[in-house]
Coordinates of all heavy atoms in Angstrom, one line a residue:
G90 N -49.0 -41.8 5.3 CA -47.8 -42.7 5.4 C -46.9 -42.6 4.2 O -45.7 -42.6 4.3
T91 N -47.5 -42.6 3.0 CA -46.8 -42.4 1.8 C -46.1 -41.1 1.7 O -45.0 -41.0 1.2 CB -47.7 -42.7 0.6 OG1 -48.4 -43.9 0.7 CG2 -46.9 -42.6 -0.7
A92 N -46.8 -40.1 2.2 CA -46.2 -38.7 2.2 C -45.0 -38.7 3.0 O -44.0 -38.0 2.7 CB -47.2 -37.7 2.7
V93 N -44.9 -39.4 4.1 CA -43.7 -39.5 4.9 C -42.6 -40.0 4.1 O -41.5 -39.4 4.2 CB -44.0 -40.3 6.2 CG1 -42.7 -40.7 6.9 CG2 -45.0 -39.7 7.1
V94 N -42.8 -41.1 3.4 CA -41.7 -41.7 2.7 C -41.3 -40.8 1.5 O -40.1 -40.6 1.2 CB -42.1 -43.1 2.1 CG1 -41.0 -43.7 1.3 CG2 -42.6 -44.0 3.2
L95 N -42.2 -40.1 0.9 CA -41.9 -39.2 -0.2 C -41.0 -38.1 0.3 O -40.0 -37.7 -0.3 CB -43.2 -38.7 -0.8 CG -43.1 -38.0 -2.2 CD1 -42.6 -39.0 -3.2 CD2 -44.5 -37.5 -2.5
A96 N -41.4 -37.5 1.4 CA -40.6 -36.4 2.0 C -39.2 -36.9 2.4 O -38.3 -36.1 2.2 CB -41.4 -35.8 3.2
R97 N -39.2 -38.0 3.0 CA -37.9 -38.6 3.4 C -36.9 -38.8 2.2 O -35.7 -38.5 2.3 CB -38.0 -39.9 4.1 CG -38.7 -39.8 5.5 CD -38.5 -41.1 6.2 NE -37.1 -41.3 6.5 CZ -36.4 -42.5 6.4 NH1 -37.0 -43.5 6.0 NH2 -35.1 -42.5 6.7
A98 N -37.5 -39.2 1.1 CA -36.7 -39.4 -0.1 C -36.0 -38.2 -0.6 O -34.8 -38.1 -0.9 CB -37.5 -40.1 -1.2
F99 N -36.8 -37.1 -0.7 CA -36.2 -35.8 -1.2 C -35.3 -35.2 -0.2 O -34.3 -34.6 -0.5 CB -37.3 -34.9 -1.6 CG -38.1 -35.2 -2.8 CD1 -39.4 -35.6 -2.8 CD2 -37.5 -35.3 -4.0 CE1 -40.1 -36.0 -3.9 CE2 -38.1 -35.6 -5.2 CZ -39.5 -36.0 -5.1
T100 N -35.6 -35.4 1.1 CA -34.7 -34.9 2.1 C -33.3 -35.6 2.1 O -32.3 -35.0 2.2 CB -35.3 -35.0 3.5 OG1 -36.5 -34.3 3.6 CG2 -34.4 -34.6 4.6
A101 N -33.4 -36.9 2.0 CA -32.2 -37.7 1.9 C -31.3 -37.3 0.7 O -30.1 -37.2 0.8 CB -32.5 -39.2 1.9
Y102 N -32.0 -37.0 -0.4 CA -31.3 -36.5 -1.6 C -30.5 -35.3 -1.3 O -29.3 -35.2 -1.6 CB -32.3 -36.2 -2.7 CG -31.7 -35.4 -3.9 CD1 -30.9 -36.1 -4.9 CD2 -31.8 -34.1 -3.9 CE1 -30.4 -35.4 -5.9 CE2 -31.2 -33.3 -5.0 CZ -30.5 -34.0 -5.9 OH -29.9 -33.3 -7.0
F103 N -31.1 -34.3 -0.6 CA -30.4 -33.1 -0.3 C -29.3 -33.3 0.7 O -28.2 -32.6 0.6 CB -31.3 -32.0 0.2 CG -32.1 -31.3 -1.0 CD1 -33.4 -31.4 -1.0 CD2 -31.4 -30.7 -2.0 CE1 -34.1 -30.8 -2.1 CE2 -32.0 -30.1 -3.0 CZ -33.4 -30.2 -3.1
Q104 N -29.5 -34.2 1.6 CA -28.4 -34.5 2.6 C -27.2 -35.0 1.9 O -26.0 -34.6 2.1 CB -28.9 -35.5 3.6 CG -29.9 -34.9 4.6 CD -30.5 -36.0 5.5 OE1 -30.6 -37.2 5.1 NE2 -30.9 -35.6 6.7
L105 N -27.4 -35.9 0.9 CA -26.3 -36.5 0.2 C -25.6 -35.4 -0.8 O -24.4 -35.3 -0.9 CB -26.7 -37.7 -0.6 CG -27.2 -38.9 0.2 CD1 -27.9 -39.9 -0.6 CD2 -26.0 -39.5 0.9
V106 N -26.5 -34.6 -1.4 CA -25.9 -33.6 -2.3 C -25.1 -32.6 -1.6 O -24.0 -32.2 -2.0 CB -27.1 -32.9 -3.1 CG1 -26.6 -31.6 -3.8 CG2 -27.7 -33.9 -4.1
N107 N -25.6 -32.1 -0.4 CA -24.9 -31.1 0.4 C -23.5 -31.7 0.8 O -22.5 -30.9 0.7 CB -25.7 -30.8 1.6 CG -26.8 -29.9 1.4 OD1 -27.0 -29.3 0.3 ND2 -27.7 -29.7 2.3
T108 N -23.5 -32.9 1.1 CA -22.2 -33.5 1.6 C -21.2 -33.6 0.5 O -20.0 -33.2 0.6 CB -22.4 -34.9 2.2 OG1 -23.3 -34.8 3.3 CG2 -21.1 -35.5 2.6
T109 N -21.6 -34.0 -0.7 CA -20.7 -34.2 -1.8 C -20.3 -32.8 -2.3 O -19.2 -32.5 -2.8 CB -21.2 -35.1 -2.9 OG1 -20.2 -35.3 -3.9 CG2 -22.4 -34.5 -3.6
E110 N -21.2 -31.8 -2.2 CA -20.9 -30.4 -2.7 C -19.9 -29.8 -1.7 O -19.0 -29.1 -2.2 CB -22.2 -29.6 -2.7 CG -22.0 -28.3 -3.4 CD -23.3 -27.6 -3.6 OE1 -24.0 -27.9 -4.7 OE2 -23.7 -26.7 -2.8
Q111 N -20.0 -30.1 -0.4 CA -19.0 -29.6 0.5 C -17.6 -30.2 0.2 O -16.6 -29.5 0.2 CB -19.4 -30.0 1.9 CG -20.6 -29.2 2.5 CD -21.1 -29.8 3.8 OE1 -20.8 -30.9 4.1 NE2 -21.9 -29.0 4.5
L112 N -17.6 -31.5 -0.1 CA -16.4 -32.2 -0.5 C -15.7 -31.5 -1.7 O -14.5 -31.2 -1.7 CB -16.7 -33.6 -0.7 CG -15.5 -34.5 -1.3 CD1 -14.4 -34.6 -0.2 CD2 -15.9 -35.9 -1.7
H113 N -16.5 -31.3 -2.7 CA -15.9 -30.8 -4.0 C -15.6 -29.3 -3.8 O -14.6 -28.8 -4.5 CB -16.9 -31.0 -5.1 CG -16.9 -32.5 -5.6 ND1 -15.9 -33.0 -6.3 CD2 -17.8 -33.5 -5.3 CE1 -16.2 -34.3 -6.6 NE2 -17.3 -34.6 -5.9
R114 N -16.3 -28.6 -3.0 CA -16.0 -27.2 -2.7 C -14.6 -27.1 -2.1 O -13.8 -26.3 -2.4 CB -17.1 -26.5 -1.9 CG -16.7 -25.1 -1.4 CD -16.8 -24.1 -2.5 NE -16.6 -22.8 -2.0 CZ -16.0 -21.8 -2.7 NH1 -15.6 -22.0 -4.0 NH2 -15.9 -20.6 -2.3
W115 N -14.4 -28.0 -1.1 CA -13.1 -28.0 -0.4 C -12.0 -28.4 -1.3 O -10.9 -27.7 -1.3 CB -13.2 -29.0 0.8 CG -11.8 -29.4 1.3 CD1 -10.8 -28.6 1.6 CD2 -11.4 -30.8 1.4 NE1 -9.7 -29.4 2.0 CE2 -10.0 -30.7 1.8 CE3 -11.9 -32.0 1.2 CZ2 -9.2 -31.8 2.1 CZ3 -11.2 -33.1 1.4 CH2 -9.8 -33.0 1.9
Q116 N -12.2 -29.4 -2.2 CA -11.2 -29.8 -3.1 C -10.8 -28.7 -4.1 O -9.7 -28.5 -4.4 CB -11.6 -31.1 -3.8 CG -11.7 -32.3 -2.9 CD -12.1 -33.6 -3.6 OE1 -12.0 -34.7 -3.0 NE2 -12.7 -33.5 -4.7
E117 N -11.8 -28.0 -4.5 CA -11.6 -26.8 -5.4 C -10.7 -25.8 -4.7 O -9.8 -25.2 -5.3 CB -12.9 -26.3 -5.9 CG -12.7 -25.1 -6.9 CD -14.1 -24.6 -7.4 OE1 -14.8 -24.0 -6.6 OE2 -14.4 -24.9 -8.5
L118 N -11.1 -25.4 -3.5 CA -10.3 -24.4 -2.7 C -8.9 -24.9 -2.4 O -7.9 -24.1 -2.5 CB -11.1 -24.1 -1.4 CG -12.4 -23.4 -1.6 CD1 -13.1 -23.3 -0.2 CD2 -12.2 -21.9 -2.1
A119 N -8.8 -26.2 -2.1 CA -7.4 -26.7 -1.7 C -6.5 -26.7 -2.9 O -5.3 -26.7 -2.7 CB -7.6 -28.1 -1.1
A120 N -7.1 -26.8 -4.1 CA -6.3 -26.9 -5.3 C -5.7 -25.6 -5.8 O -4.9 -25.5 -6.7 CB -7.1 -27.5 -6.4
G121 N -6.1 -24.5 -5.1 CA -5.6 -23.2 -5.5 C -4.2 -23.0 -5.2 O -3.6 -23.7 -4.4
E122 N -3.5 -22.2 -6.0 CA -2.1 -22.0 -6.0 C -1.7 -21.3 -4.7 O -0.6 -21.6 -4.1 CB -1.6 -21.2 -7.2 CG -1.7 -22.0 -8.5 CD -1.2 -21.2 -9.7 OE1 -0.6 -20.1 -9.4 OE2 -1.3 -21.6 -10.8
E123 N -2.5 -20.4 -4.2 CA -2.1 -19.6 -3.0 C -3.3 -19.6 -2.0 O -4.4 -19.2 -2.4 CB -1.8 -18.2 -3.5 CG -1.2 -17.3 -2.3 CD -0.8 -16.0 -2.9 OE1 -1.7 -15.3 -3.5 OE2 0.3 -15.5 -2.7
G124 N -3.0 -20.0 -0.8 CA -4.1 -20.0 0.2 C -4.3 -18.6 0.8 O -3.5 -17.7 0.5

Side-chain angles (χ1 to χ4, degrees):
T91 304
V93 168
V94 181
L95 195 61
R97 291 194 66 224
F99 289 114
T100 299
Y102 167 83
F103 281 119
Q104 289 172 333
L105 294 169
V106 167
N107 284 350
T108 298
T109 190
E110 194 170 273
Q111 289 169 344
L112 173 65
H113 288 280
R114 174 69 175 150
W115 161 52
Q116 291 179 165
E117 182 176 73
L118 291 169
E122 294 182 4
E123 186 178 54

